[in-house]
């Protein structure tokens, strides 16, 4: 019948335009689940849903039982919904494909049969039949570089605003799984309460804490130029599964804040205005000011350059642990070497 994107399909469902059979496919669970939820919500009234909704695991049921449910009349309403997950498993045998093909050619008009598959092979039956007689919906996730914008848009569902920098940080923490990102957004929404904006500090506190570490531990150790503490925190972060690119994002933000703070201090801006401009509490501003006293302009510039170099090295296949150790050493080395008389190089080696 027709091919649709997930967004187009959801618009059609909201308008009541649902075909008797729809195949929804893709490997992103969140997008598949949203299609299923939308069809159920717009098709079957909750008061009669018990009698008119079947959600079936295709790996654990016989094709005859599925077709019996799909061929049943609705009770006390005009439509019933049958959802078949793991559809590939249901039609793995030749006999099942033959029986299902017969139903596809003459489906029950009062049933909305929703088939959920991960990687259908459209060169083979029953998918060739479905392309001809059913609606086909591809739930294609955004590309990696599009995910921050997707996060910003998704946050609006929680009535929250979300800056792109915070979105990139969340992606660095969680990865590219839309389901994982959505769950973190739920946590963040609860964490900030009535506050409309989700900031980078919120992401660090919630997404970082859920993995058994706090980003401020690493930033504070580096801000104090405490090499031993910074190395320990870094190692624990990597061991707990934190991604190196995520750490680099966080540290880049930290040194950019130092850079901005120095400029504002030079302009003699009041601390209240600085805290507002940097979107941080007075407590965090005091901490950042103490770290600023430990870093010259040149050292901040060198730290940012080192972060960029390390990011490129990791993305081109360099040893992650070694590069991250070297990163911390390079950022902290000048003051520490003066204090230790060269001991640090032996520690790193």
């Amino acid at each position: 019948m027709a091919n649709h994107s997930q967004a187009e399909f959801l618009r059609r469902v909201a308008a009541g335009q649902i075909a008797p059979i729809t195949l929804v496919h893709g490997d992103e669970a969140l997008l598949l689940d949203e299609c299923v939820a939308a069809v159920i919500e717009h098709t079957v009234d909750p008061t009669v849903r018990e009698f008119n909704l079947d959600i079936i695991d295709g790996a654990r049921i016989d094709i005859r039982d599925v077709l019996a449910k799909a061929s049943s009349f609705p009770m006390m309403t005009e439509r019933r919904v049958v959802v078949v997950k793991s559809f590939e498993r249901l039609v793995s045998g030749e006999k099942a494909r033959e029986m299902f093909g017969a139903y596809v050619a003459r489906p029950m008009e009062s049933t909305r049969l929703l088939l959920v598959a991960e990687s259908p092979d459209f060169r083979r039956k029953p998918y060739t039949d479905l392309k001809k007689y059913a609606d086909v919906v591809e739930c294609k996730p955004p590309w990696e570089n599009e995910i921050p914008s997707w996060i910003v848009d998704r946050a609006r569902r929680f009535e929250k605003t979300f800056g792109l920098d915070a979105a990139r940080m969340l992606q660095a923490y969680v990865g590219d799984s839309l389901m994982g990102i959505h769950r973190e957004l739920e946590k963040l929404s609860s964490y900030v309460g009535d506050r409309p904006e989700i900031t980078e500090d919120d992401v660090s506190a919630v997404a970082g804490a859920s993995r058994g570490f706090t980003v401020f531990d690493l930033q504070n150790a580096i801000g104090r130029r405490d090499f031993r503490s910074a190395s320990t925190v870094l190692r624990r972060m990597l061991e707990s599964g934190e991604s190196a690119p995520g750490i680099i994002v966080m540290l880049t933000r930290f040194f950019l804040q130092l850079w901005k703070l120095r400029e504002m201090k030079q302009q003699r801006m009041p601390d209240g205005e600085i805290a507002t401009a940097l979107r941080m509490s007075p407590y965090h501003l005091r901490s950042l000011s103490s770290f600023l006293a430990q870093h010259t302009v040149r050292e901040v510039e060198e730290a940012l350059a080192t972060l960029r170099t390390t990011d490129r090295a990791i993305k081109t296949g360099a040893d992650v642990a070694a590069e991250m150790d070297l990163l911390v050493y390079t950022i902290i080395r000048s003051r520490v070497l003066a204090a230790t008389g060269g001991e640090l190089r032996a520690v790193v080696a």
Side-chain angles (χ1 to χ4, degrees), residues 220-287:
N220 291 347
I222 290 177
R224 298 191 308 269
R225 295 185 172 275
D226 183 343
F227 174 73
R228 293 184 185 278
S229 294
S231 296
T232 299
V233 172
L234 173 65
R235 183 171 63 254
R236 289 177 179 173
M237 290 174 76
L238 293 174
E239 289 172 351
S240 69
E242 169 67 5
S243 70
I247 296 173
I248 291 172
V249 167
M250 294 181 291
L251 292 181
T252 299
R253 171 178 174 268
F254 171 69
F255 280 101
L256 285 174
Q257 284 183 327
L258 286 180
W259 180 272
K260 293 174 184 176
L261 177 60
R262 183 178 297 279
E263 288 187 335
M264 293 176 184
K265 291 279 191 183
Q266 289 174 345
Q267 295 170 10
R268 300 186 181 278
M269 287 178 61
D271 285 352
E273 293 182 16
I274 293 176
T276 300
L278 294 179
R279 294 185 296 180
M280 63 176 55
S281 68
Y283 170 79
H284 286 126
L285 178 60
R286 287 194 295 271
S287 296

Side-chain angles (χ1 to χ4, degrees), residues 194-224:
D194 295 334
R195 179 154 49 86
E197 182 184 20
I198 297 174
T199 68
E200 292 156 275
D201 287 341
D202 298 325
V203 173
S204 298
V206 173
S210 67
R211 284 155 181 78
F213 60 84
T214 303
V215 61
F216 298 116
D217 293 336
L218 182 60
Q219 291 181 178
N220 291 347
I222 290 177
R224 298 191 308 269

Side-chain angles (χ1 to χ4, degrees), residues 15 80 120 140 157 184 228 244 333:
R80 65 180 279 101
K140 186 177 181 180
R157 299 193 181 191
E184 291 299 324
R228 293 184 185 278
R333 63 181 178 181

Side-chain angles (χ1 to χ4, degrees), residues 20-41:
I21 305 176
T22 302
L23 171 67
V24 179
H25 68 95
D27 58 4
E28 180 49 66
L30 177 68
L31 302 183
L32 298 175
D33 289 350
E34 288 182 343
C35 289
V36 172
V39 170
I40 293 172
E41 178 185 355

Side-chain angles (χ1 to χ4, degrees), residues 11-205:
R11 288 193 291 269
R12 290 175 61 85
V13 169
Q17 301 172 356
I18 309 173
I21 305 176
T22 302
L23 171 67
V24 179
H25 68 95
D27 58 4
E28 180 49 66
L30 177 68
L31 302 183
L32 298 175
D33 289 350
E34 288 182 343
C35 289
V36 172
V39 170
I40 293 172
E41 178 185 355
H42 290 281
T43 306
V44 185
D45 189 282
T47 60
V48 295
R49 199 165 284 174
E50 178 182 356
F51 309 103
N52 298 288
L53 172 63
D54 291 289
I55 300 178
I56 302 165
D57 183 350
R60 299 185 177 185
I61 195 169
D62 186 80
I63 185 65
R64 296 174 183 83
D65 294 328
V66 173
L67 296 180
K69 293 179 183 297
S71 300
S72 298
F73 288 99
M75 294 179 62
M76 299 176 286
T77 188
E78 295 182 359
R79 297 278 185 265
R80 65 180 279 101
V81 172
V82 177
V83 179
V84 182
K85 297 187 175 182
S86 301
F87 177 65
E88 302 102 317
R89 303 285 295 277
L90 177 69
V91 291
S92 59
E94 184 175 347
K95 182 63 175 178
R97 289 193 291 270
E98 181 181 332
M99 294 177 67
F100 186 78
Y103 179 86
V104 170
R106 299 185 63 182
M108 188 78 168
E109 287 296 325
S110 58
T111 295
R112 295 298 175 257
L113 179 60
L114 189 62
L115 312 170
V116 182
E118 185 171 318
S119 302
D121 185 351
F122 287 103
R123 299 169 300 177
R124 302 177 57 192
K125 286 182 176 292
Y127 304 108
T128 51
D129 292 333
L130 289 168
K131 285 182 68 175
K132 185 183 300 184
Y133 297 110
D135 277 358
V136 177
V137 181
E138 181 180 12
C139 292
K140 186 177 181 180
W143 296 104
E144 180 181 351
N145 64 337
E146 296 172 336
I147 287 179
S149 296
W150 184 90
I151 292 173
V152 172
D153 182 66
R154 175 65 49 145
R156 297 190 184 103
R157 299 193 181 191
F158 299 92
E159 299 182 349
K160 304 297 181 186
T161 58
F162 211 110
L164 274 175
D165 286 340
R168 293 187 185 99
M169 180 179 287
L170 182 60
Q171 181 186 13
Y173 268 123
V174 181
D176 297 338
S177 166
L178 301 188
M179 181 67 80
I181 291 171
H182 181 82
R183 288 171 178 162
E184 291 299 324
L185 283 173
E186 289 179 330
K187 296 177 188 176
L188 283 161
S189 180
S190 297
Y191 177 78
V192 302
D194 295 334
R195 179 154 49 86
E197 182 184 20
I198 297 174
T199 68
E200 292 156 275
D201 287 341
D202 298 325
V203 173
S204 298

